Amino acid sequence: MASVGLIGLGAMGTALGEALLRQGHNLFVWNRSAGKAASLIASGAQLAETPMQVVSSTDLTIICLVDCAAVTHVLDGVVGLDGRTVVNLTNGTPEQARGIADTVALAGGRYLDGGIMAIPPIIGTPHALVLYSGDEAAYRSHRNTLEALGTAEFLGADAGLASLLDLSLLAGMYGLFSGVIQATVMAKAGNVPARQFSKLLTAWLQAMLLSVDDISARLDDHRFGQATSPLAMQLVAMENILSTSRQMGIDPGLIEPMARRIRQRVQRGGGADDISAIGDEISSSGSAVAAQ
Ligand code: FVH
């Protein structure tokens, strides 16, 4: 089995280490607070004195820290990687990923950026999805090891792509959570227990997820007319949500930005447009005029 370096033993880093040990890999770890390495050392991992010791003595080093500033800090001064691979699984921006890729390349290493679409308890299972981008040869060389962490998907050569899609998927998740929280607080304000309401909400949201493909196709095609549920009709419901929330003493702040965008589109003649037209409103290349 490969010898793998792991820098960062927080909640996620520890889960990554446990999955690698379960797959029989030799693990060489470092964490700023060395005490967090105790459980992995008890399971057979070795503790390095410095992050450089990890990076310079393993063919594959995985970094999973709180943010990319920390990654840049631990890689400060890195040299002599001689083709070794660094995989950064820290949440960051595409720009940060490309900057760290440059740092690793300048030190003679190969870089993969990754986005972990999973929580620690499911790491090491097929339910964990990890998105990768960057050096494809490095990905192919280490794919078997990386698949110890969960289902691996390589997106392309742009080191920033995995971070972009990680952040995009998280944006979708937070949009969903915003709606779930707003909806549940409204129901509770009407004395409907959240546990009871969640059955209705879950079924409704699962049905609405069937719209994702149509919204995606419309955004690809820039095709917003002939809506099944035109924005003019949806605006009525949206205004009712806002007024009812306020009457019940609930801050509509989680959903108000969407209402504002729908109102703007309708006021500019987009009343017959599909909800996907809001994507047109917010994207830099969006046309500020209603669909023809
Ligand atoms: N946990 C989760 O559910 C999510 C799932 C999706 C992916 N995220 C991302 O994974 C990265 C690490 O998250 P984490 O949950 O492991 O975070 P913590 O438990 O807070 O551990 C943070 C580690 O970072 C180390 N660290 C912080 N600052 C520095 C620094 N300046 N220099 C070196 N290391 C630093 C910290 O060390 P210590 O505090 O133990 O000494 C931890 O090892 C993250 O990008 C998530 O967005 C997790």
Side-chain angles (χ1 to χ4, degrees):
M1 283 295 178
S3 74
V4 183
L6 177 61
I7 295 172
L9 302 179
M12 180 53 79
T14 298
L16 298 173
E18 289 166 349
L20 290 163
L21 287 173
R22 281 198 300 271
Q23 292 291 319
H25 294 290
N26 300 314
L27 197 59
F28 198 29
V29 301
W30 179 88
N31 192 65
R32 179 181 60 178
S33 306
K36 286 188 184 172
S39 65
L40 291 177
I41 291 168
S43 303
Q46 282 181 280
L47 182 63
E49 298 281 317
T50 67
M52 281 308 114
Q53 209 182 8
V54 175
V55 177
S56 60
S57 54
T58 55
D59 291 336
L60 170 68
T61 294
I62 295 169
I63 303 179
C64 192
L65 301 176
V66 68
D67 58 26
C68 283
V71 177
T72 301
H73 174 70
V74 300
L75 289 177
D76 186 34
V78 63
V79 291
L81 290 183
D82 298 332
R84 294 184 178 88
T85 297
V86 173
V87 182
N88 179 23
L89 298 183
T90 302
N91 183 283
T93 67
E95 187 183 1
Q96 287 173 323
R98 297 183 188 113
I100 296 168
D102 292 345
T103 300
V104 169
L106 281 172
R110 303 191 296 179
Y111 181 78
L112 280 173
D113 200 73
I116 303 174
M117 308 321 300
I119 53 175
I122 65 171
I123 290 297
T125 75
H127 304 295
L129 170 64
V130 185
L131 303 172
Y132 296 93
S133 65
D135 187 314
E136 186 164 6
Y139 175 75
R140 295 193 185 290
S141 303
H142 298 291
R143 180 174 184 167
N144 288 341
T145 303
L146 295 174
E147 287 182 334
L149 308 178
T151 302
E153 185 163 341
F154 183 77
L155 300 172
D158 172 5
L161 194 51
S163 293
L164 175 64
L165 293 200
D166 180 2
L167 296 177
S168 303
L169 290 171
L170 289 175
M173 178 190 77
Y174 285 118
L176 176 71
F177 288 169
S178 300
V180 166
I181 290 164
Q182 183 82 34
T184 304
V185 169
M186 287 177 74
K188 279 176 63 63
N191 299 317
V192 176
R195 286 183 181 80
Q196 177 187 327
F197 180 66
S198 73
K199 294 176 180 56
L200 286 173
L201 182 60
T202 302
W204 172 242
L205 293 179
Q206 282 170 339
M208 288 302 99
L209 280 175
L210 298 175
S211 309
V212 171
D213 286 348
D214 181 58
I215 290 171
S216 305
R218 284 172 174 271
L219 286 170
D220 268 347
D221 304 345
H222 206 262
R223 173 174 48 85
F224 306 118
Q226 287 84 43
T228 305
S229 304
L231 287 181
M233 173 274 290
Q234 296 203 50
L235 182 58
V236 173
M238 190 56 99
E239 300 293 10
N240 290 340
I241 293 168
L242 300 182
S243 61
T244 303
S245 295
R246 291 189 182 103
Q247 283 158 14
M248 299 176 96
I250 297 167
D251 175 359
L254 290 176
I255 198 166
E256 202 151 30
M258 186 58 145
R260 177 165 40 82
R261 290 296 188 166
I262 292 174
R263 198 179 301 121
Q264 285 170 349
R265 186 79 179 197
V266 172
Q267 285 165 352
R268 279 207 306 277
D273 288 350
D274 179 79
I275 193 77
S276 53
I278 304 308
D280 191 44
E281 293 285 306
I282 66 168
S283 61
S284 53
S285 58
S287 66
V289 294
Q292 306 312 324

